[in-house]
Amino acid sequence: MSERPVSRTLPVIATFVVALMLTIAPLPGWAEPYRPDFVALTLIYWSMTLPQNYSVGSAWIVGVVLDVAQGTLLGQHALALSLIVYVTVKFHLQLRQFPIPQLLATVFALLTLHQFILFWINGVVGVNAPAETYWGPVISGTLVWPILAVMLAEIYQRVRR
Amino acid sequence: MAAAKSNQQFHSAFSPALGLRFLLLAGLTLLLLVIDHRDNHLGAVRKAVGAAVYPLRIIVDAPVSIWRWTVDTTASRNELQLENSRLNAERLLTQARLQRYSSLEAENARLRTMLEARATVREQVRVAEILSVSSDPFRHLLVVDKGSVDNVYDGQVVIDANGVVGQVIKAGVLSSQCMLISDPGHALPVEVNRNGLRTIARGTGEFDKLDLPFLPNNADIEPGDLLVTSGRGGAFPAGYPVAIVDSVIRIPQEPFASVTATPAASLNQVREVMLIWSAPQESKESVEVTPAEASDSVDEEADEQSNE
């Protein structure tokens, strides 16, 4: 487990890059608040399946990159993402056993926690935004999760071989 | 079986350290947040990571630019001719307007020297393309494809054909981040074009609405008034259109009227914006500006724009 061949690491890093690209891709104005938080979802998946390799450290690095890409306060996403990944890794054995509805509820809760951290830091700094910009990603993210999980599971199967 | 073994190994390997690692990272992050919020010492970090993200922006932008390129190249001859004649007509109109403008500018310069007013500001303009718009729903930001390589600096003014769009907040190496005037954290000094009434226009978080929170109930302002930059804050050069007032509600009990305005620039539809370099002009020069010279300088600026 300690050695990580390139053929196993590269596809996973590629998923993070794609998630980041989906996050900065332009969307029409009305859809903007409902953009799923692809980076958070990808992190939840990998920290659930490969907690030995992708844990709070990876989440933190991805978070800093996301902060720079989005121009938010440096550390805002880093803190939110490492918190939800901490919770995911802590309970990854239970999460793997969960039936789909329960897993969806957990993803919903994790995304809510993520948005709450962002909301909290925004509040301290004094940035205010309409409520749907906080709830939009949580709802759309939960809806996107099954599709994303199936796609990432496919990649995981190939990585394992 | 194998899974159980790996889990056991996992638990013994680093489970106790997980909480500790998280706490360390959280502490580090809080430190980072405070440093970044209080003062801008992390500009170098942002620039380095931003340069790493730049290729991603290019890739994300590629489908759109390829599509535009295809549309441009495959446009029919007829369409091109139509566009050409339209542009020619527009150019004639603009030139006619410029003639009047150049004589006015010269007259203005003469009057200013008579009044011994401070030197006016001469501006240089370059076109920049937008790479991505408002990737964070909480902030109204956009990224343009000009950076400190092209002498973009923090606080530089960004306009489009109709009015002020915003200002550069973080000039990276190859791209820079701009804050739109509709960002909830943005405010700019404006004046009513009709009577020179000064006030502040604040972003609301909606693309089509600005807020003018500090106007008393008896202020002389009406729906339809054009707001232009007053140049008072020092960041924006004076005289660029910002917004048009669309509603004025005066409530007698309240100390301030509630006034909203619609930005003149189409903030969520622009593809290209213009960056303005403003350099203070020596008052000596402005004394000697003759109408001919003034028209020359205007022509140069027009050329620069068309070259872009």
Side-chain angles (χ1 to χ4, degrees):
Chain A
M1 278 300 161
S2 52
E3 90 265 23
R4 282 188 247 167
V6 180
S7 60
R8 294 191 55 173
T9 326
L10 218 53
V12 179
I13 291 175
T15 59
F16 284 126
V17 171
V18 171
L20 209 61
M21 277 164 61
L22 286 173
T23 311
I24 58 178
L27 274 187
W30 56 267
E32 196 66 54
Y34 299 99
R35 180 203 296 274
D37 205 331
F38 289 107
V39 174
L41 291 173
T42 315
L43 268 171
I44 291 174
Y45 183 85
W46 288 122
S47 57
M48 196 172 92
T49 10
L50 294 168
Q52 301 90 328
N53 299 347
Y54 303 97
S55 178
V56 285
S58 324
W60 192 79
I61 293 167
V62 172
V64 169
V65 175
L66 191 60
D67 279 324
V68 173
Q70 299 207 331
T72 44
L73 208 58
L74 211 58
Q76 187 171 356
H77 283 99
L79 184 64
L81 288 175
S82 38
L83 178 65
I84 61 167
V85 165
Y86 170 71
V87 176
T88 314
V89 174
K90 196 91 183 149
F91 298 107
H92 73 279
L93 290 180
Q94 285 96 317
L95 288 181
R96 286 183 195 166
Q97 305 303 323
F98 277 171
I100 288 169
Q102 208 173 342
L103 187 59
L104 278 183
T106 317
V107 169
F108 184 83
L110 285 172
L111 290 176
T112 312
L113 183 64
H114 177 249
Q115 291 293 320
F116 175 74
I117 298 287
L118 296 184
F119 172 71
W120 177 63
I121 294 172
N122 277 340
V124 171
V125 177
V127 177
N128 55 344
E132 82 244 28
T133 55
Y134 291 107
W135 285 111
V138 176
I139 294 161
S140 61
T142 313
L143 294 177
V144 162
W145 170 262
I147 307 165
L148 195 81
V150 168
M151 282 162 65
L152 291 177
E154 187 69 28
I155 293 171
Y156 176 56
Q157 290 304 325
R158 288 184 192 182
V159 167
R160 252 196 350 182
R161 254 175 243 150
Chain B
M1 196 62 183
K5 196 184 157 205
S6 85
N7 286 329
Q8 220 168 20
Q9 188 187 9
F10 160 69
H11 273 290
S12 60
F14 73 99
S15 190
L18 181 68
L20 188 67
R21 272 203 301 169
F22 171 67
L23 282 180
L24 273 176
L25 278 176
L28 180 67
T29 317
L30 286 178
L31 203 69
L32 209 64
L33 283 168
V34 171
I35 294 173
D36 196 32
H37 185 48
R38 286 286 154 84
D39 32 30
N40 271 328
H41 290 319
L42 296 172
V45 180
R46 265 187 197 281
K47 269 191 186 163
V49 185
V53 180
Y54 185 71
L56 288 188
R57 291 198 194 285
I58 297 291
I59 299 171
V60 166
D61 193 51
V64 183
S65 31
I66 288 172
W67 170 247
R68 278 156 54 92
W69 180 82
T70 323
V71 168
D72 279 356
T73 15
T74 56
S76 72
R77 185 167 171 274
N78 194 20
E79 273 170 38
L80 285 177
Q81 270 178 338
L82 274 177
E83 196 185 345
N84 201 357
S85 56
R86 189 175 55 79
L87 289 175
N88 260 329
E90 253 180 44
R91 197 176 61 96
L92 274 176
L93 273 176
T94 324
Q95 268 186 344
R97 241 179 258 149
L98 268 180
Q99 281 174 13
R100 235 182 60 212
Y101 172 75
S102 57
S103 68
L104 278 177
E105 193 183 49
E107 186 185 340
N108 193 11
R110 273 200 308 278
L111 289 173
R112 269 181 179 280
T113 48
M114 276 191 240
L115 291 168
E116 294 184 11
R118 88 189 153 80
T120 47
V121 173
R122 178 179 284 187
E123 281 114 22
Q124 230 191 4
V125 179
R126 270 189 85 175
V127 177
E129 197 160 324
I130 295 173
L131 287 178
S132 72
V133 181
S134 102
S135 45
D136 182 1
F138 311 125
R139 311 279 305 271
H140 285 188
L141 302 173
L142 50 86
V143 177
V144 297
D145 67 344
K146 296 273 183 295
S148 47
V149 181
D150 310 281
N151 297 324
V152 174
Y153 56 90
D154 286 358
Q156 190 167 19
V157 180
V158 181
I159 61 169
D160 77 349
N162 301 316
V164 176
V165 171
Q167 58 178 309
V168 176
I169 51 168
K170 284 180 192 104
V173 180
L174 293 169
S175 62
S176 336
Q177 212 152 39
C178 312
M179 186 187 268
L180 298 181
I181 55 173
S182 58
D183 186 286
H186 193 273
L188 82 166
V190 295
E191 62 185 28
V192 178
N193 199 26
R194 182 167 53 87
N195 54 15
L197 177 72
R198 289 194 301 277
T199 183
I200 286 174
R202 212 166 54 178
T204 57
E206 289 168 54
F207 282 113
D208 54 353
K209 201 172 142 198
L210 296 181
D211 203 13
L212 278 67
F214 307 118
L215 280 169
N217 273 327
N218 58 358
D220 180 12
I221 189 162
E222 291 161 7
D225 277 347
L226 177 68
L227 301 170
V228 299
T229 50
S230 67
R232 286 300 186 280
F236 288 89
Y240 284 98
V242 175
I244 292 159
V245 176
D246 60 14
S247 86
V248 180
I249 300 165
R250 300 173 209 270
I251 305 162
Q253 301 93 311
E254 299 287 327
F256 294 114
S258 114
V259 182
T260 58
T262 313
S266 38
L267 295 179
N268 53 352
Q269 285 162 21
V270 283
R271 240 344 263 197
E272 274 110 14
V273 292
M274 283 168 269
L275 294 166
I276 299 181
W277 279 264
S278 44
Q281 204 180 9
E282 292 297 316
S283 56
K284 217 176 158 188
E285 276 178 33
S286 59
V287 180
E288 289 157 7
V289 168
T290 59
E293 276 175 14
S295 80
D296 277 355
S297 74
V298 168
D299 282 348
E300 273 166 32
E301 275 164 38
D303 284 349
E304 266 165 37
Q305 284 186 42
S306 59
N307 285 344
E308 282 300 319

